[in-house]
Amino acid sequence: MTKIDLTLRALLVVGLGGACDPETATTGENSSDSETDGASDGGSDEGGEPACPAPTHGPTVHSGTIAAGEVWAAEDGPHIVTPWVRFAADSSLTIAACSEVRMQKDAALVVGDTNGDVTASLRAEGEPGREIRFVRDGAEPWSAIVVYDPATVVLRHVSLDGGGSDRFLYNASLVLRGDGTTPTRRPLTVEAVTVRRSLGHGVVAEWVAGFTAGSTGLTVTASGSEDFPQPVRLGEHSLDSLPDGDYTGNRVDEILIDDEGANQAGGLQQDGTIHDRGVPYHVGTFPGSRLRVGAGFDSGTVTTLTIEPGVELRFEPGTSLEIEHYTSDDKPA
């Protein structure tokens, strides 16, 4: 038995109309560089002095496994990651404000483990005017920052530029993953974070993972490819946590809803809200996809989906919005 709050002040639009023209849209492949790869302008404070002084002890090269607690200081930069950095159980990495992290070709920071048994943490907390920057080290794209619950990542006043080399991660630059079961895991906190020039999606939240409450100010721009054109890709259990921000200036300015389900069953299986984030939502990745509310009339759960005023849903041809897959007289949807 499932209820859905569809006080349809929300707008449901069938079809794909309004997507950006791929020939004229800004993309990860053909956008002009707003910054020189690997170079930092340092910024300045109100008095004209550099807010981030030039490093004095770097560069510092990082690879392999973080075994305990590490701090990457700004004065030891630039910090060069090659080819990837992983985190041992109970390890932590703190990246100081003003740090520049140069990611070599295919380099990644992988926080946690696919088995879901590694508790580790990454904290990259810049400040206004003292941003932490992840950039390409050279011309080739780097991979991504990936976090697996129960590991955690906190990003504040951070920019990620030029990532997305891994097709298995949808060519995204920032990926968060749960364990496929409800309730939604929330391993990532963002505040004033910009993802720019990602080869595919900018951000992917999947396997029933989402952002922490209070996350705000996420920007994804100049990103997207023919195969992965949207700035953000979310499973339906991630929708409720998507932060406010700016998701424009990409190949296709839509948020993709991937009907991945949970608990080895299809459908949304916990209450959630689709928020108005300034761009349409795109339902489905192939004909026959569906945004389903509820796991089945005999599941013993009641699921409520709320759609905020101003939300626009665009449906892939052949897809549907489904309120339960089955119903009955005594357990109506």
Side-chain angles (χ1 to χ4, degrees):
M1 178 173 63
T2 300
K3 300 181 295 183
I4 180 167
D5 177 6
L6 284 178
T7 55
L8 277 178
R9 292 169 289 184
L11 177 62
L12 305 182
V13 178
V14 179
L16 299 177
C20 296
D21 183 350
E23 297 302 318
T24 59
T26 303
T27 74
E29 292 92 352
N30 63 11
S31 60
S32 60
D33 294 357
S34 60
E35 303 171 358
T36 302
D37 288 332
S40 173
D41 61 10
S44 62
D45 60 22
E46 294 181 356
E49 295 297 323
C52 290
T56 55
H57 297 93
T60 305
V61 177
H62 307 274
S63 64
T65 300
I66 292 179
E70 286 191 18
V71 176
W72 294 1
E75 57 265 29
D76 296 328
H79 296 272
I80 300 173
V81 175
T82 176
W84 59 73
V85 169
R86 296 184 181 273
F87 289 66
D90 301 320
S91 64
S92 65
L93 170 61
T94 299
I95 302 178
C98 289
S99 294
E100 180 178 270
V101 182
R102 297 185 184 179
M103 307 289 286
Q104 293 198 339
K105 178 183 177 182
D106 299 329
L109 291 177
V110 182
V111 190
D113 186 89
T114 55
N115 295 325
D117 57 3
V118 172
T119 301
S121 67
L122 165 64
R123 301 186 71 91
E125 297 185 88
E127 303 164 0
R130 293 166 51 82
E131 185 181 65
I132 296 169
R133 301 172 65 246
F134 289 81
V135 300
R136 294 178 182 176
D137 187 36
E140 297 296 325
W142 52 282
S143 179
I145 297 176
V146 185
V147 54
Y148 294 90
D149 183 85
T152 58
V153 170
V154 177
L155 305 177
R156 291 192 168 96
H157 298 280
V158 171
S159 66
L160 312 176
D161 190 2
S165 68
D166 191 341
R167 185 174 179 82
F168 290 102
L169 299 177
Y170 307 102
N171 295 124
S173 299
L174 183 58
V175 178
L176 50 156
R177 288 174 163 174
D179 65 359
T181 64
T182 53
T184 300
R185 306 307 196 264
R186 298 175 180 267
L188 178 63
T189 299
V190 298
E191 178 186 342
V193 170
T194 298
V195 179
R196 182 186 300 110
R197 294 194 305 155
S198 191
L199 195 60
H201 301 309
V203 177
V204 170
E206 60 181 357
W207 303 358
V208 196
F211 299 84
T212 60
S215 288
T216 184
L218 177 61
T219 296
V220 183
T221 192
S223 298
S225 64
E226 182 177 357
D227 291 333
F228 310 117
Q230 300 91 354
V232 179
R233 182 188 188 108
L234 302 173
E236 61 269 78
H237 294 86
S238 308
L239 288 166
D240 193 70
S241 71
L242 181 65
D244 59 358
D246 186 351
Y247 302 101
T248 61
N250 302 284
R251 187 171 184 121
V252 174
D253 289 335
E254 298 174 342
I255 297 165
L256 178 63
I257 302 176
D258 183 8
D259 57 334
E260 64 176 9
N263 306 311
Q264 299 183 336
L268 179 68
Q269 298 166 42
Q270 63 184 28
D271 294 351
T273 299
I274 300 180
H275 300 284
D276 181 5
R277 293 303 185 224
V279 298
Y281 289 81
H282 185 108
V283 179
T285 56
F286 58 89
S289 297
R290 67 196 69 185
L291 175 56
R292 181 191 299 175
V293 183
F297 73 93
D298 60 348
S299 66
T301 62
V302 176
T303 304
T304 301
L305 173 65
T306 301
I307 302 178
E308 285 187 343
V311 168
E312 180 179 312
L313 298 177
R314 295 179 175 175
F315 288 81
E316 185 78 17
T319 63
S320 61
L321 172 64
E322 186 175 83
I323 315 307
E324 290 289 16
H325 190 61
Y326 301 100
T327 189
S328 67
D329 290 339
D330 61 327
K331 294 181 178 180

